[in-house]
Amino acid sequence: MAAEEWIDVGAAEDFRRQPLREASLGERKVAVSFKDGKFGVISNVCNHVGGPLGKGRLDGEFVVCPWHQYKFHRCTGEGEPGYEADKVPGYGVKEENGRLLVTAKPVSKRGHLPHEAHPLERSLDRAPGGLRVGGISTTAMDPKNPRFSTSEHLLTVALDHAKAALGAETKLIRLNDLNFRHCEGYYSKAAKACTWPCSITSMDQTDQLDRVYDMAVFWADILIVSTPIRWGAASSLYYKMVERMNCIQNQITINDKVMIRNKVAAFIITGGQDGIQAVAGQMMGFFSEIGFLLPQFPFIAHSLGWEAEDMERNVDFVEASDHLRAGARELVGRAAETARCVLEQHMTTSRKIEPGGRKASADR
Ligand code: FES
């Protein structure tokens, strides 16, 4: 049997100073740990989506991945109790003459436990059926004491019209009714740490933003998003939602995969003061950046303006406005016209869309 080949990865003393760190082993990287006088070496590549284990932390005898907190035994590479078979390769390690030596090849193999695909991992092909219009209201309110929302009111006018006059199927999501977590910045750790489905959605079954993903990515041909204006910006719930939608855009960046195709977005914006153009600009920018198309005149809006602000009359004004209701109906009509053109002309999923001015992170 050939003698084991060992590679010198550095001064043992340096590795003693840090409980966990990365080291180069030829072309590869390994995660070297030191605890209770004993070294451990495992692959640096996490089983999940490749997080750098040597940049994580130790939790007892386990290395915690810095991306999504999967754990692997620092010496054997095995997963946590109950998940031992989900393991990363382990390496032999010894100290000689003050140097740390690691086996050139792993002494144990990588293993994966069978993984059931998340429902959002399904094919992006459009399910058969007629035109589908989804509405998302981003208004925040006390659910036990609901109040009249002007933007949501106009959204329901648009959806009712889509159903009754345009023959579309409709659905409404009120973000206020959903229990969902803030984006926790996986993209800020590394582009590949921001996954599809969203890392939070994959790990937390109580998180309900999967309903928004399902509507935006799969179900809807037209998405109408309504928001109030809050200090010149869209609502806090709107931003909480769109931060979580980074995973949709990120698939273009890391996998060259456009998830939103042949879909149209339109917007309803209402406020007591002005700020409409800034809010509309952000919404149009975001939704076109993730792949939505915009109809001609993609938003309707209402505000009484800086000097005429009058919150005592604002709700009555909107409720009584035939003009705004007509605007909501016309908005969904324009969106439907655009969606039908797009669907009929078969801008098919096979058509390659270049990311335009943005290099995939894999190319760097
Ligand atoms: Fe390691 Fe996700 S937990 S990459």
Side-chain angles (χ1 to χ4, degrees):
M1 203 202 231
E4 189 78 71
E5 188 190 342
W6 295 84
I7 294 178
D8 183 334
V9 295
E13 198 49 40
D14 289 346
F15 287 99
R16 273 197 190 86
R17 286 199 199 105
Q18 260 180 281
L20 179 65
R21 53 175 278 198
E22 290 179 327
S24 294
L25 185 72
E27 308 250 293
R28 305 178 210 181
K29 283 202 167 151
V30 286
V32 180
S33 57
F34 182 74
K35 182 171 181 288
D36 301 331
K38 188 179 169 194
F39 288 107
V41 180
I42 59 175
S43 165
N44 196 48
V45 182
C46 177
N47 258 6
H48 180 213
V49 286
L53 294 173
K55 288 190 173 162
R57 63 184 167 82
L58 282 187
D59 178 8
E61 288 299 309
F62 287 86
V63 172
V64 183
C65 178
W67 285 4
H68 312 98
Q69 292 80 50
Y70 280 33
K71 293 182 182 180
F72 303 93
H73 194 280
R74 71 182 189 90
C75 299
T76 66
E78 290 178 351
E80 289 183 277
Y83 301 91
E84 288 88 348
D86 204 347
K87 57 187 182 178
V88 299
Y91 288 78
V93 58
K94 65 182 179 183
E95 186 178 344
E96 263 180 23
N97 303 322
R99 308 296 298 176
L100 199 68
L101 305 181
V102 175
T103 53
K105 292 190 178 146
V107 295
S108 61
K109 288 193 174 147
R110 191 176 292 275
H112 292 274
L113 278 171
H115 150 85
E116 205 174 308
H118 190 281
L120 293 176
E121 286 178 79
R122 67 187 190 265
S123 157
L124 293 172
D125 292 344
R126 182 185 185 276
L131 196 67
R132 299 185 282 255
V133 184
I136 299 179
S137 168
T138 70
T139 301
M141 64 177 78
D142 173 3
K144 292 193 200 106
N145 299 291
R147 63 182 171 80
F148 185 89
S149 157
T150 53
S151 58
E152 191 174 300
H153 165 67
L154 294 173
L155 177 60
T156 59
V157 170
L159 293 178
D160 290 349
H161 180 70
K163 192 172 186 176
L166 306 177
E169 220 184 310
T170 61
K171 277 186 196 171
L172 170 64
I173 291 177
R174 291 183 183 88
L175 287 186
N176 202 57
D177 294 342
L178 302 188
N179 173 26
F180 67 105
R181 279 158 58 178
H182 290 276
C183 172
E184 289 156 12
Y186 294 90
Y187 183 75
S188 300
K189 298 181 184 185
K192 287 188 174 161
C194 176
T195 57
W196 175 261
C198 166
S199 304
I200 293 172
T201 302
S202 305
M203 295 186 290
D204 182 353
Q205 291 182 350
T206 67
D207 186 275
Q208 296 177 320
L209 205 71
D210 56 337
R211 299 170 196 195
V212 169
Y213 295 131
D214 205 281
M215 177 185 276
V217 174
F218 298 99
W219 185 82
D221 298 308
I222 298 169
L223 198 64
I224 304 183
V225 184
S226 67
T227 184
I229 301 171
R230 297 277 180 258
W231 285 103
S235 77
S236 57
L237 279 180
Y238 168 82
Y239 282 104
K240 190 177 173 187
M241 171 182 75
V242 299
E243 285 184 23
R244 287 283 303 277
M245 292 170 98
N246 187 69
C247 56
I248 298 172
Q249 194 282 327
N250 195 41
Q251 284 297 303
I252 304 171
T253 309
I254 63 173
N255 289 330
D256 201 13
K257 183 174 179 186
V258 178
M259 304 200 66
I260 308 269
R261 287 183 191 273
N262 308 332
K263 292 172 181 283
V264 173
F267 312 101
I268 295 172
I269 303 159
T270 65
Q273 288 181 4
D274 213 340
I276 289 166
Q277 286 170 333
V279 174
Q282 198 288 334
M283 297 176 96
M284 291 189 291
F286 176 78
F287 280 89
S288 55
E289 181 74 350
I290 61 171
F292 280 93
L293 302 168
L294 304 179
Q296 195 169 25
F297 309 116
F299 66 93
I300 61 160
H302 155 79
S303 87
L304 291 174
W306 179 267
E307 279 198 82
E309 182 186 21
D310 180 355
M311 296 320 290
E312 278 61 47
R313 278 195 321 118
N314 194 49
V315 164
D316 292 346
F317 182 95
V318 173
E319 256 192 309
S321 172
D322 292 336
H323 178 67
L324 282 171
R325 274 197 298 279
R329 291 192 287 268
E330 286 161 11
L331 178 72
V332 74
R334 290 193 296 276
E337 210 171 302
T338 309
R340 284 194 170 119
C341 283
V342 167
L343 290 169
E344 276 164 22
Q345 285 179 14
H346 292 290
M347 285 175 64
T348 61
T349 49
S350 60
R351 188 164 167 224
K352 176 96 169 93
I353 310 263
E354 298 296 343
R358 175 181 281 133
K359 255 179 149 287
S361 59
D363 296 344
R364 289 193 196 113

Coordinates of all heavy atoms in Angstrom, one line a residue, residues 4-7 25 28-31 41-45 75-77 87-93 102-111:
E4 N 1.0 7.2 2.9 CA 0.1 8.3 2.9 C 0.9 9.6 2.6 O 2.0 9.8 3.1 CB -0.5 8.5 4.4 CG -1.5 9.5 4.5 CD -2.9 9.0 4.0 OE1 -3.5 8.1 4.7 OE2 -3.3 9.4 3.0
E5 N 0.3 10.4 1.7 CA 1.0 11.7 1.3 C 0.5 12.8 2.3 O -0.7 12.9 2.4 CB 0.8 12.0 -0.1 CG 1.6 13.2 -0.6 CD 1.2 13.7 -1.9 OE1 0.5 13.0 -2.7 OE2 1.5 14.9 -2.2
W6 N 1.4 13.5 2.9 CA 1.1 14.6 3.8 C 1.5 15.9 3.2 O 2.6 16.0 2.6 CB 1.7 14.4 5.2 CG 1.2 13.1 5.9 CD1 1.7 11.9 5.7 CD2 0.2 13.1 6.9 NE1 1.0 11.0 6.6 CE2 0.1 11.7 7.3 CE3 -0.7 14.0 7.4 CZ2 -0.8 11.3 8.2 CZ3 -1.6 13.6 8.4 CH2 -1.7 12.3 8.8
I7 N 0.7 16.9 3.4 CA 1.0 18.3 2.9 C 1.2 19.2 4.1 O 0.3 19.2 5.0 CB 0.0 18.8 2.0 CG1 -0.1 17.9 0.7 CG2 0.2 20.2 1.6 CD1 -1.1 18.3 -0.3
L25 N -4.7 23.6 0.9 CA -4.2 22.2 0.8 C -4.0 21.9 -0.7 O -4.9 21.5 -1.4 CB -5.1 21.2 1.4 CG -4.7 19.8 1.5 CD1 -3.6 19.6 2.6 CD2 -5.8 18.8 1.8
R28 N -6.9 22.9 -3.1 CA -8.2 23.0 -2.4 C -8.0 23.8 -1.1 O -6.9 24.1 -0.7 CB -8.7 21.6 -1.9 CG -8.8 20.6 -3.0 CD -9.2 19.3 -2.3 NE -8.7 18.3 -3.1 CZ -8.8 17.0 -2.9 NH1 -9.5 16.6 -1.8 NH2 -8.3 16.1 -3.7
K29 N -9.2 24.0 -0.5 CA -9.1 24.7 0.9 C -9.7 23.7 1.9 O -10.7 22.9 1.5 CB -9.9 26.0 0.9 CG -9.1 27.1 0.2 CD -9.6 28.4 0.6 CE -8.6 29.5 0.2 NZ -9.2 30.7 -0.1
V30 N -9.2 23.8 3.1 CA -9.8 22.9 4.2 C -10.1 23.9 5.3 O -9.6 25.0 5.4 CB -8.8 21.8 4.6 CG1 -8.8 20.7 3.5 CG2 -7.4 22.4 4.9
A31 N -10.9 23.3 6.2 CA -11.3 24.1 7.5 C -10.5 23.4 8.6 O -10.8 22.3 8.9 CB -12.8 24.0 7.7
V41 N -9.5 18.6 10.8 CA -9.5 19.2 9.5 C -10.6 18.5 8.6 O -10.7 17.3 8.5 CB -8.1 18.9 8.8 CG1 -8.1 19.5 7.4 CG2 -7.0 19.5 9.6
I42 N -11.4 19.4 8.1 CA -12.5 18.9 7.1 C -12.5 19.7 5.9 O -11.8 20.8 5.8 CB -13.9 18.9 7.8 CG1 -14.3 20.3 8.3 CG2 -14.0 17.9 9.0 CD1 -15.7 20.5 8.8
S43 N -13.2 19.3 4.9 CA -13.3 20.1 3.7 C -13.9 21.5 4.0 O -14.6 21.6 5.0 CB -14.3 19.4 2.7 OG -14.7 20.3 1.7
N44 N -13.5 22.4 3.2 CA -13.9 23.8 3.4 C -15.3 24.1 2.8 O -15.9 25.1 3.0 CB -12.9 24.8 2.9 CG -13.1 26.2 3.4 OD1 -13.2 26.4 4.6 ND2 -13.1 27.2 2.5
V45 N -15.8 23.1 2.0 CA -16.9 23.3 1.2 C -18.2 22.7 1.8 O -18.3 21.5 1.9 CB -16.7 22.7 -0.3 CG1 -17.9 23.0 -1.2 CG2 -15.5 23.3 -0.9
C75 N -13.9 17.1 13.2 CA -12.8 16.1 12.9 C -13.3 15.1 11.9 O -12.6 14.8 10.9 CB -12.4 15.4 14.2 SG -11.7 16.5 15.4
T76 N -14.6 14.6 12.0 CA -15.0 13.6 11.1 C -15.8 14.1 9.9 O -16.0 13.5 8.9 CB -16.0 12.6 11.8 OG1 -17.2 13.4 12.2 CG2 -15.4 12.1 13.1
G77 N -16.3 15.4 10.0 CA -17.1 16.0 8.9 C -18.5 15.5 8.9 O -19.3 16.0 8.1
K87 N -22.6 14.5 5.3 CA -21.2 14.8 5.8 C -20.3 15.4 4.8 O -20.5 15.1 3.6 CB -20.7 13.5 6.4 CG -20.6 12.4 5.4 CD -20.2 11.1 6.1 CE -20.1 10.0 5.0 NZ -19.6 8.7 5.6
V88 N -19.3 16.1 5.2 CA -18.3 16.6 4.3 C -17.0 15.8 4.6 O -16.8 15.2 5.7 CB -18.0 18.1 4.6 CG1 -19.2 19.0 4.3 CG2 -17.4 18.4 6.0
P89 N -16.1 15.7 3.6 CA -14.9 14.9 3.8 C -14.0 15.3 5.0 O -13.9 16.5 5.2 CB -14.1 15.1 2.5 CG -15.2 15.5 1.5 CD -16.2 16.3 2.3
G90 N -13.5 14.4 5.7 CA -12.6 14.6 6.8 C -11.1 14.3 6.3 O -11.0 13.5 5.4
Y91 N -10.2 14.9 7.0 CA -8.8 14.7 6.6 C -8.0 14.2 7.8 O -8.3 14.6 8.9 CB -8.1 16.0 6.0 CG -8.6 16.4 4.7 CD1 -9.9 17.0 4.5 CD2 -7.9 16.1 3.5 CE1 -10.3 17.4 3.3 CE2 -8.3 16.5 2.3 CZ -9.6 17.1 2.1 OH -10.0 17.5 0.9
G92 N -6.9 13.5 7.5 CA -6.0 13.2 8.6 C -5.1 14.4 8.9 O -4.8 15.2 8.0
V93 N -4.7 14.5 10.2 CA -3.9 15.7 10.6 C -2.9 15.3 11.7 O -3.2 14.4 12.5 CB -4.8 16.9 11.1 CG1 -5.7 16.5 12.2 CG2 -4.0 18.1 11.4
V102 N -1.3 17.7 6.8 CA -2.7 17.2 6.5 C -2.6 16.2 5.4 O -1.8 16.4 4.4 CB -3.6 18.4 6.2 CG1 -5.0 17.9 5.8 CG2 -3.7 19.4 7.4
T103 N -3.4 15.2 5.4 CA -3.3 14.2 4.3 C -3.7 14.9 3.0 O -4.6 15.7 3.0 CB -4.3 13.0 4.6 OG1 -5.6 13.5 4.9 CG2 -3.8 12.2 5.8
A104 N -3.0 14.5 2.0 CA -3.3 15.1 0.7 C -4.7 14.8 0.2 O -5.4 15.6 -0.5 CB -2.3 14.6 -0.4
K105 N -5.2 13.6 0.6 CA -6.5 13.2 0.2 C -7.4 13.0 1.4 O -6.9 12.7 2.5 CB -6.5 11.8 -0.5 CG -5.8 12.0 -1.9 CD -6.0 10.8 -2.7 CE -5.3 11.0 -4.1 NZ -4.7 9.8 -4.6
P106 N -8.7 13.2 1.3 CA -9.6 13.0 2.5 C -9.6 11.6 2.9 O -9.4 10.7 2.1 CB -10.9 13.5 2.0 CG -10.9 13.5 0.5 CD -9.4 13.7 0.1
V107 N -9.8 11.3 4.2 CA -9.9 10.0 4.7 C -11.3 9.5 4.8 O -11.6 8.4 5.1 CB -9.2 9.9 6.1 CG1 -7.7 10.2 5.9 CG2 -9.8 10.8 7.1
S108 N -12.3 10.4 4.6 CA -13.7 10.0 4.5 C -14.4 10.7 3.4 O -13.9 11.8 3.0 CB -14.4 10.2 5.9 OG -14.3 11.6 6.2
K109 N -15.5 10.2 3.0 CA -16.2 10.8 1.8 C -17.3 11.7 2.1 O -17.9 11.6 3.2 CB -16.7 9.6 0.9 CG -15.7 8.9 0.2 CD -16.3 8.0 -0.8 CE -15.2 7.3 -1.6 NZ -15.6 6.0 -2.0
R110 N -17.7 12.5 1.1 CA -18.8 13.4 1.3 C -20.1 12.5 1.2 O -20.1 11.6 0.4 CB -18.8 14.5 0.2 CG -19.8 15.6 0.3 CD -19.6 16.6 -0.8 NE -18.4 17.4 -0.7 CZ -18.2 18.4 0.1 NH1 -19.2 18.9 0.8 NH2 -17.0 19.1 0.1
G111 N -21.1 12.9 1.9 CA -22.4 12.2 1.8 C -23.6 13.1 1.9 O -23.5 14.1 2.6

